[in-house]
Amino acid sequence: MTFEIIFVLLALAGMLTALILDKMRPGIVLLSVVVVFMAAGIITPKQMVAGFSNRGMITVALLFLVSEGIRQSGALSAVVKKLLPGKGASVTKAQMRILPIVSGFSAFLNNTPVVVIFAPILKNWSKKVGLPCTKFLIPLSYATILGGLCTLIGTSTNLVVHGMMIDRGLEGLKMFDLAYIGIPITVVGLAFIIIASKKLLPEARPDSIEDEEEERTEATGQHVVEVVLASRFPGLKRKLKNFDFKRRYGAEVKEIRQGGQVFTENLGEVRLQQGDTLVLLADDAFTRTWGDSSVFLMMTNGKEIPTRPVPQWKKWAALTLLIIMIVGATIGELPAMQERFPNVKLDMFFFASVTAVVMAWLKLFPPKKYTKYISWDILITIACAFAISAAMEESGLAALIANFIKSVSGSLGAWGALALLYLVTLIITELITNNAAAALAFPLALETAEKFGVDPMPFFIAICIAASAGFATPIGYQTNLIVQGAGNYKFTDFIKIGLPMDIIVMVISVGLIPLIWPFTAA
């Protein structure tokens, strides 16, 4: 084992430890490791910054703006409100109407805004019709994850793998390549959720704060509001007592839900984290002022959050632009279109760029504030992922691990290696973050395929699925973290239904991927 391999291995171990301890944002953790690799001469400055100009990474940034345009148009909320059944509907009937539509939307939009839009609506609706919201919020998150497995733009991880493939001179993924495996997984996954959620998801948990404050609400005009802290919240990593929340926002913190724990006493000692749900006592001015702020990822108060009225034409314009983007990118990949327009690559990057700019021109999102709708930490994480992948290859660590995977696979050959790579990627996803999982797994997939002398495509597809399909923990996927506090779920609630989901998706993936993309000789 060479010095370079040992150095990279220790640096990656430190990176994983830092991500698990959550002392810094993932982007700065990965950037720190990349700078160390450059300083040690493992990678060149050009390799360090290559990810920042990658089309896959930039496409993710553009899709943040597209998703924001759709969200602010009100088109999604209008659709879901028409789908919700009235009183007397069962949990099963409601899930069957809602979840397939959610998966359909999340196949083409960023998953986070889909959950941010749907979760408050579902929570308020379930309260009105007398159904437990706990039967809907985890299924909502899972449905968005499943939908994201079906298309190239369904989740940022797919675009990361796509960008890395192009970076290596490979063709990359087409819009609906993943649908061959994503649709079967989604159908089976939704069926499991609908059947199993009756027993595996908890019944409604009483909201003690709301009950305690009912009389005070009537007397003062204040009411209970729940907010989820976003990455832009200025008090992250600080104790509540050192951050004057009431002075800044005019609301009193009554309860903090963090990592499955509920804090109602000694709140000042709680250190605030991204994804925490704060239960507040606030008036209508709070929701009007902060209802559409990037400081809070989501807000719900048992009724409609007041928003500015949106002209009807904006809803139709947003949906029309989304359809044009999807259809255009799909048709643009056809050989006939490539021959007709040889100087223009009509791919997702092209149409996402056009769509985002047109949405800004039409003011579907405020063009002067466009930067606040982009998750820069995710983009930095993705960009650094390319450099980490290069370091693993340049040092020889990827080849060393690929040899180990080949030896462990034994008589199962490439199929066994695929299962092992999927499992490793899934574990990293559940414990850390999906984009970091893809960064570590991609060079392993490339080297493993080379060791077996087969086409790497089955391994790339496995990474896309494993790095996105994190169901068993709330930290495995941001949408899980959002619904955890909103539904007052415990960590074990995710394990009960998420672990079987992980197993089901893995079995389907490992079983079907080699049949759809055979292990043909490279």
Side-chain angles (χ1 to χ4, degrees), residues 215-237:
E215 293 182 5
R216 182 175 173 180
T217 299
E218 294 177 359
T220 65
Q222 293 181 310
H223 46 261
V224 174
V225 179
E226 294 180 8
V227 296
V228 178
L229 302 185
S231 60
R232 292 177 182 266
F233 180 72
L236 295 181
K237 308 294 184 183

Side-chain angles (χ1 to χ4, degrees), residues 3 15 70-71 77-78 130 132 134 170 177 224 247 268 307 310 334 354 369 374 400 451 478 491 493 499 506 509:
F3 168 78
M15 181 190 78
I70 297 292
R71 187 188 74 82
S77 56
T134 48
L170 302 172
D177 278 352
V224 174
R247 182 183 64 81
T307 56
V310 180
L334 299 176
V354 173
K369 300 179 180 179
I374 298 174
L400 181 69
K451 298 299 179 187
Q478 187 180 30
F491 195 93
D493 294 328
L499 189 57
M506 180 175 176
S509 300

